[in-house]
Amino acid sequence: MTFSALSHLECPRCGATHDADQIIGLCPCGSPLLARYDVLALHKDDLVSRGPDLWRYHELLPVRSPENVVTLGEGMTPLLPLPRYGAELGVDRLLMKDEGLIPTGTFKARGAAVGVSRAYEVGVRKIAMPTNGNAGSAWAAYAARAGMEALIAMPIAAPEICRREVTAVGARLQLIDGLIGDAAAYVRSLIQDQPGYFDASTLKEPYRIEGKKTMGLEIAEQLNWQLPDVIVYPTGGGVGIIGIWKALNELRDLGWIEGPLPRLVAVQSTGCAPIVRAWEKGLPESEPWPDARTVAFGITVPKALGDFLVLQAIAETGGCAIAVDDEDILAEQHQVAQLEGTFICPEGAANFAAIRSLRDSGWIHADDQVVALNTGAGLKYPETVPI
């Protein structure tokens, strides 16, 4: 079998298919594109001798040649039991997948590794992207690793460490007085004025999601292909939860997993909850959220391009969307650290505020196995801890 079983790109909105071996962004209909694979010859035993990183699933990733893999050792983060904190919540089988231990300190490294690798493979040498912080610092790092140029536009209010990471690796940093939508407008203008840059914005290229789906592949493998009851994910642009949903569907198609998929929970802040509002109203996509703000800066996305896919993932798995208050996010961040010794990011802490609420309401049961994604290291957010 070839290194990658990538077959083609498919539009989840209009159904059109596209050649994967070209520089491409969105479908002409405006929808993100999804990578599709022909993996009938792949077996679980093939994984046994492979290294503990996300490239162990290379047949299910889009990079066709191993020579084009750009890596910093990302993937296979631990799935940690949280017995003391879980007992306090009343969720005895609570697990946390800790993405804070990945290169650049957040799960964004997964999308950057695969996105940059595939972009380089098809001929891209200059990327530009808007970011709330962590994605930009990850893509800048992997672009440097690949020898590519990168321009990163982020709000002035983004975490200071993310700004410093971008400049440390030699990328061009543009600070924007506004939100991520304003940064995106800057990138669009730049690409029009300075041809040669490829727009690597969230879901405007097909391969970031392929890196992030490896969280779902790893969860399944780490649980010996027995799926949890619930997976809880902090949701801004939504690529992580879409990716996990995509991964689990691909594993089911392979015959590696059986039964219903985990109920997927999209967690947002009450200060920016467009997907929660759409889910509550039964809408197929969200409406822009006015005056978005939250301490969990990474999920401050007033309108996500892939919102319709997030809502579909929730609906098809019997999941839900829930918003939590900033004060509860910070309280749970403190509580997890006190009880389990792990300093998580505020976006990850939002998950635990949601789990507490969903357990109190009875939506999560005492005997459910629940996996919460901590999407980054708390050390990147020192301002969330008083001294």
Side-chain angles (χ1 to χ4, degrees):
M1 177 176 279
T2 57
F3 190 71
S4 172
L6 178 66
S7 171
H8 62 279
L9 298 173
E10 180 180 271
C11 177
R13 194 185 290 277
C14 75
T17 60
H18 300 270
D19 178 8
D21 293 307
Q22 60 177 315
I23 297 175
I24 189 170
L26 300 173
C27 179
C29 79
S31 170
L33 294 172
L34 300 178
R36 299 304 186 194
Y37 300 84
D38 180 10
V39 290
L40 297 180
L42 182 62
H43 301 285
K44 292 178 188 176
D45 291 345
D46 295 331
L47 303 177
V48 173
S49 62
R50 297 183 182 177
D53 58 39
L54 66 80
W55 298 101
R56 66 194 280 106
Y57 310 112
H58 58 76
E59 289 91 348
L60 284 169
L61 295 174
V63 180
R64 295 201 184 277
S65 171
E67 289 76 21
N68 292 318
V69 167
V70 180
T71 182
L72 291 168
E74 58 286 334
M76 203 48 72
T77 54
L79 192 59
L80 300 173
L82 300 182
R84 295 179 65 198
Y85 179 70
E88 197 265 331
L89 288 184
V91 183
D92 290 338
R93 296 198 296 155
L94 178 62
L95 301 169
M96 180 178 75
K97 188 155 179 64
D98 192 0
E99 295 291 291
L101 302 179
I102 208 165
T104 75
T106 77
F107 78 114
K108 303 289 187 177
R110 293 181 186 267
V114 177
V116 167
S117 296
R118 183 59 176 158
Y120 189 90
E121 187 167 60
V122 297
V124 173
R125 294 297 180 267
K126 297 169 67 175
I127 61 169
M129 64 179 295
T131 177
N132 272 330
N134 285 315
S137 57
W139 280 71
Y142 282 85
R145 181 77 164 168
M148 296 166 62
E149 292 184 35
L151 183 143
I152 309 297
M154 70 174 69
I156 292 173
E160 179 183 353
I161 186 60
C162 295
R163 288 176 271 150
R164 293 186 181 274
E165 284 179 295
V166 169
T167 56
V169 297
R172 178 179 164 192
L173 174 64
Q174 182 67 44
L175 295 177
I176 304 296
D177 186 9
L179 297 175
I180 191 169
D182 302 296
Y186 173 85
V187 168
R188 288 194 298 271
S189 176
L190 170 92
I191 290 173
Q192 289 176 352
D193 295 340
Q194 300 183 35
Y197 280 101
F198 176 68
D199 189 346
S201 303
T202 301
L203 289 177
K204 285 191 176 180
E205 56 78 44
Y207 302 116
R208 180 190 304 206
I209 191 172
E210 297 305 291
K212 293 184 180 181
K213 82 178 183 187
T214 59
M215 292 182 289
L217 300 176
E218 288 179 16
I219 289 169
E221 184 178 2
Q222 288 170 314
L223 293 176
N224 197 29
W225 313 109
Q226 302 297 311
L227 299 180
D229 298 291
V230 179
I231 295 178
V232 188
Y233 203 89
T235 305
V239 182
I241 195 168
I242 299 167
I244 290 171
W245 175 54
K246 185 175 187 289
L248 297 178
N249 276 295
E250 290 173 353
L251 289 176
R252 186 160 59 183
D253 290 344
L254 278 168
W256 291 13
I257 59 174
E258 297 178 348
L261 297 186
R263 291 174 283 155
L264 297 178
V265 179
V267 180
Q268 299 194 299
S269 164
T270 52
C272 183
I275 289 173
V276 175
R277 178 177 289 174
W279 179 76
E280 290 173 345
K281 292 182 176 181
L283 299 176
E285 61 182 66
S286 69
E287 301 167 345
W289 188 272
D291 193 29
R293 62 186 68 222
T294 171
V295 67
F297 197 76
I299 55 175
T300 314
V301 180
K303 168 67 175 174
L305 181 63
D307 53 5
F308 71 101
L309 292 171
V310 175
L311 291 162
Q312 186 179 347
I314 293 169
E316 289 192 2
T317 61
C320 70
I322 182 173
V324 295
D325 294 335
D326 277 6
E327 63 181 29
D328 293 330
I329 290 173
L330 294 176
E332 298 302 338
Q333 182 189 41
H334 177 78
Q335 189 76 344
V336 172
Q338 290 284 302
L339 290 177
E340 300 289 357
T342 178
F343 182 17
I344 63 177
C345 67
E347 294 82 7
N351 281 340
F352 293 109
I355 292 169
R356 184 181 295 276
S357 178
L358 292 171
R359 178 69 187 96
D360 288 346
S361 72
W363 193 91
I364 287 177
H365 306 120
D367 59 348
D368 280 341
Q369 185 175 59
V370 179
V371 173
L373 277 291
N374 173 45
T375 50
L379 292 173
K380 299 190 81 169
Y381 301 85
E383 69 281 358
T384 61
V385 179
I387 55 174

